[in-house]
Amino acid sequence: MTKQGRILGIGPTDNTSDQRTPRQPLRLIPEGVRDSFVPVVPATYRTGPHEWDLTRTAPGRPRAQGTAIEVTGTLRSESGRPVSHALIEIWNANTHGRYRHVEDHSGLQLDENFYGMGRVLTDAAGRYRFWTISPGAYLARPDIGRWRPKHIHLSVSGGSARLITQMYFPDEPNNASDPMAILMGDAFARNIGTPRDVNGADVDEAYDFDIVVGGRNATYFE
Amino acid sequence: MTTRQPNALPATNEDTSGPYFPIAFADPALEDLTCVHPGVVGEASGTRIILRGRVLDRHGDLANGALLEFWQTNAKGIYRTPATEGDPAIDPWFHGYGRQRTATGAYEFRTIMPGAAPGRAPNITITVFSDGINRIVTQMFFADADGNDTDPVLKAAGADAPRLLARHDGRTAKGEEVYVFDIVMAGPDETPFFDDLES
């Protein structure tokens, strides 16, 4: 039997996915050159001391509108090894579903107290923590009434570990119709944050979201 | 390919970067690898090249908002990884990892000509993140380079190998060699993309 690479799925109701998803099966990386496909991100990145708190644009400034949340978790490889001192880049829409991005032309309301982007590093045990505003869902396809569910974007760079993913929220009505969630199937459950007690933190809600980086990008050292 | 350990943790799913990867996260030091930072004395060794091209969708339209990542050897053919740290052939002013977001879908990346790693032709690994997809990965080669005819990745691409070749397009007034490479995400001229998971 000839080994064949994956055929990528196209997200239903996602025009961009239809335009940009390769149709050919992916080629399997030849034995012996696998490492050459694994970038090692130099640890030259930096983060500001206040970037972990997206609920304010700077210390002492007013809280942004909406529900303040804390997100914590541990970054690990598939073998369970913590990925320490990795960069996590975070971006999410404000409570109205608007990004403070020059290419977001939705016209939804901005919040002068919400920037919506931040960067944190994992600690020696691979743990991370940030605060943000619970993002609003937004109408991604007005023509067919399809919404994007509430989600937070996370980009992980740590040595050979590299992952871009999203954290979703439990029991959201739009989760089931999201094109990317549909492609994930049952595995979508892994991308949903787990609510927990705020444990006295100055936020309204708290979630655990452990991240496991799999595939060749986690395996350089293993 | 990946051999998963039986007790491996289930990986978090990759998900699309979406259209709004923050432009504010751009790092000029990752967009030009010929120097360690635009404001610091410290030049990478090797022939300076400019790699430019377009990221195209299946209709031939520019794929706006794509995030591109580059990974390559230094001029002596050494990847800078934990395994090669301390190797005398490491260039202290070159780490080989680049990243840039293209607003329009056209890109221009300044770097040095990679050297050939053992058994390989010179190449640059290119990763594309964008709205509508998670991550697609390929390796780009130089049309005029030695070793292309025996490179295992070009061989694996078979009849589509020419789609992995960057075309030489002359030299700038500053002496940089210009190469052109379009990435076709889907469609009749689709670029071969690589992965290590079986279907």
Side-chain angles (χ1 to χ4, degrees), chain A residues 41-70:
Chain A
V41 181
T44 54
Y45 39 73
R46 55 190 70 84
T47 169
H50 310 297
E51 284 191 57
W52 68 276
D53 182 6
L54 283 70
T55 70
R56 300 172 199 276
T57 55
R61 295 269 170 77
R63 260 275 160 85
Q65 298 167 25
T67 304
I69 64 171
E70 177 172 86

Side-chain angles (χ1 to χ4, degrees), chain A residues 52-132:
Chain A
W52 68 276
D53 182 6
L54 283 70
T55 70
R56 300 172 199 276
T57 55
R61 295 269 170 77
R63 260 275 160 85
Q65 298 167 25
T67 304
I69 64 171
E70 177 172 86
V71 180
T72 51
T74 301
L75 176 64
R76 293 189 182 87
S77 70
E78 281 181 305
S79 68
R81 182 180 58 86
V83 183
S84 59
H85 311 304
L87 173 70
I88 302 181
E89 294 163 300
I90 304 147
W91 66 106
N92 70 264
N94 69 17
T95 190
H96 309 293
R98 174 77 184 268
Y99 290 90
R100 193 169 279 281
H101 190 291
V102 292
E103 294 164 10
D104 182 344
H105 304 297
S106 64
L108 295 169
Q109 190 179 330
L110 286 166
D111 176 352
E112 65 183 7
N113 294 310
F114 190 67
Y115 191 57
M117 311 159 224
R119 291 175 283 205
V120 297
L121 302 181
T122 60
D123 69 11
R127 290 179 303 234
Y128 72 90
R129 174 176 77 123
F130 64 89
W131 288 358
T132 189

Side-chain angles (χ1 to χ4, degrees), chain B residues 17-104:
Chain B
S17 61
Y20 305 128
F21 182 86
I23 296 167
F25 290 160
D27 180 351
L30 297 181
E31 299 187 356
D32 179 349
L33 301 190
T34 62
C35 61
V36 67
H37 184 280
V40 174
V41 178
E43 281 188 18
S45 301
T47 303
R48 288 172 174 240
I49 65 171
I50 298 176
L51 182 63
R52 57 169 69 120
R54 302 169 296 170
V55 187
L56 300 169
D57 72 11
R58 77 179 179 90
H59 303 295
D61 289 328
L62 285 164
N64 64 301
L67 179 70
L68 302 176
E69 295 190 351
F70 304 88
W71 172 241
Q72 64 170 96
T73 57
N74 69 16
K76 293 182 175 170
I78 307 291
Y79 286 106
R80 190 156 190 176
T81 72
T84 57
E85 210 54 57
D87 187 322
I90 285 291
D91 177 351
W93 305 117
F94 188 78
H95 51 68
Y97 170 79
R99 177 170 106 167
Q100 65 176 243
R101 181 185 184 275
T102 160
T104 61

Side-chain angles (χ1 to χ4, degrees), chain A residues 3-8 11 14 16-31 33-42 44-46 51 76-80 87 89-91 99 101-105 115 117-119 138 148 153 155 157 162-166 168 178 180 184 187-191 209-217 219-221, chain B residues 1-5 7-27 30 56-59 62-67 69-71 79-84 95 97 99 101-103 120 123 125 127 129-139 152-153 156-160 163 185-187 190-199:
Chain A
K3 292 172 180 168
Q4 197 181 31
R6 292 181 297 159
I7 296 175
L8 297 177
D14 184 341
T16 313
S17 183
D18 173 64
Q19 291 152 2
R20 300 187 179 186
T21 302
R23 298 306 200 266
Q24 298 301 313
L26 301 177
R27 320 290 173 112
L28 290 175
I29 295 173
E31 293 292 339
V33 305
R34 193 164 168 257
D35 285 355
S36 73
F37 279 86
V38 185
V40 176
V41 181
T44 54
Y45 39 73
R46 55 190 70 84
E51 284 191 57
R76 293 189 182 87
S77 70
E78 281 181 305
S79 68
L87 173 70
E89 294 163 300
I90 304 147
W91 66 106
Y99 290 90
H101 190 291
V102 292
E103 294 164 10
D104 182 344
H105 304 297
Y115 191 57
M117 311 159 224
R119 291 175 283 205
Y138 53 88
R148 274 238 70 199
H153 292 273
S155 173
S157 306
R162 185 77 182 96
L163 174 73
I164 293 184
T165 189
Q166 299 179 30
Y168 296 83
D178 187 68
M180 288 302 180
M184 292 177 207
F188 176 66
R190 296 176 206 158
N191 285 44
F209 188 61
D210 290 338
I211 301 171
V212 177
V213 184
R216 66 178 180 277
N217 283 71
T219 56
Y220 194 84
F221 303 95
Chain B
M1 60 230 76
T2 306
T3 306
R4 296 187 78 247
Q5 299 299 314
N7 57 350
L9 297 173
T12 305
N13 302 284
E14 291 192 77
D15 203 341
T16 182
S17 61
Y20 305 128
F21 182 86
I23 296 167
F25 290 160
D27 180 351
L30 297 181
L56 300 169
D57 72 11
R58 77 179 179 90
H59 303 295
L62 285 164
N64 64 301
L67 179 70
E69 295 190 351
F70 304 88
W71 172 241
Y79 286 106
R80 190 156 190 176
T81 72
T84 57
H95 51 68
Y97 170 79
R99 177 170 106 167
R101 181 185 184 275
T102 160
R120 300 300 311 278
N123 69 83
T125 297
T127 303
F129 298 95
S130 99
D131 191 26
I133 62 160
N134 294 333
R135 151 168 56 185
I136 50 178
V137 182
T138 194
Q139 281 186 348
V153 171
D160 293 330
R163 293 185 185 146
M185 300 174 82
E190 190 172 302
T191 301
F193 296 102
F194 291 83
D195 192 28
D196 60 356
L197 297 174
E198 291 177 29
S199 56

